[in-house]
Amino acid sequence: MRKLFYLFVLITSNSIVAQEKKEPKPQIVEVSCGQCKFGMTEKKGCDLAVRIDGKSYFVEGTKIDDHGDAHAHDGFCEAIRKAEVVGEIRGNRFVVSKFKLLPAEEK
């Protein structure tokens, strides 16, 4: 009986820990070249950035060239796009675990 009690406690505590480690919910953010479109100056060259609540963050976990030609008419250096992302802000960077670029809006 004592073994069953300890087994129950172990299973219950593991499920509580698993609930606390839920992944953040996806959010829709603006995404573009940090230097070309968001005016970020911390780095040279062209780097992927997101804008969340009016603040821009360089992205870790995916690169600007992973999503097509950055200098195409709808590329990140030419347009501000939308993406569905999952991740978290760490310091002054957005660490992405999921990134889905949404279709470009027609003008």
Side-chain angles (χ1 to χ4, degrees):
M1 185 69 165
R2 182 178 272 174
K3 289 180 183 179
L4 285 175
F5 174 74
Y6 287 121
L7 181 62
F8 174 76
V9 170
L10 180 65
I11 291 170
T12 304
S13 64
N14 283 341
S15 66
I16 291 170
V17 170
Q19 288 176 1
E20 291 175 2
K21 292 185 179 183
K22 286 185 180 176
E23 190 170 293
K25 291 183 180 181
Q27 58 183 324
I28 305 295
V29 298
E30 293 181 310
V31 59
S32 197
C33 175
Q35 291 87 343
C36 295
K37 292 305 213 179
F38 292 157
M40 300 172 77
T41 59
E42 296 85 38
K43 295 170 72 175
K44 294 186 187 264
C46 294
D47 294 284
L48 189 61
V50 296
R51 188 160 46 197
I52 301 171
D53 296 328
K55 186 162 174 30
S56 300
Y57 303 91
F58 285 114
V59 174
E60 283 186 23
T62 188
K63 304 255 186 245
I64 197 166
D65 294 323
D66 294 341
H67 307 282
D69 181 0
H71 294 97
H73 77 282
D74 62 347
F76 292 131
C77 293
E78 303 297 326
I80 297 174
R81 303 276 304 270
K82 300 274 185 179
E84 182 179 87
V85 299
V86 175
E88 64 182 341
I89 298 168
R90 290 188 196 156
N92 61 349
R93 300 210 175 272
F94 183 76
V95 181
V96 67
S97 58
K98 292 183 184 175
F99 184 99
K100 178 184 175 188
L101 185 61
L102 300 178
E105 295 178 9
E106 297 293 324
K107 289 187 176 185

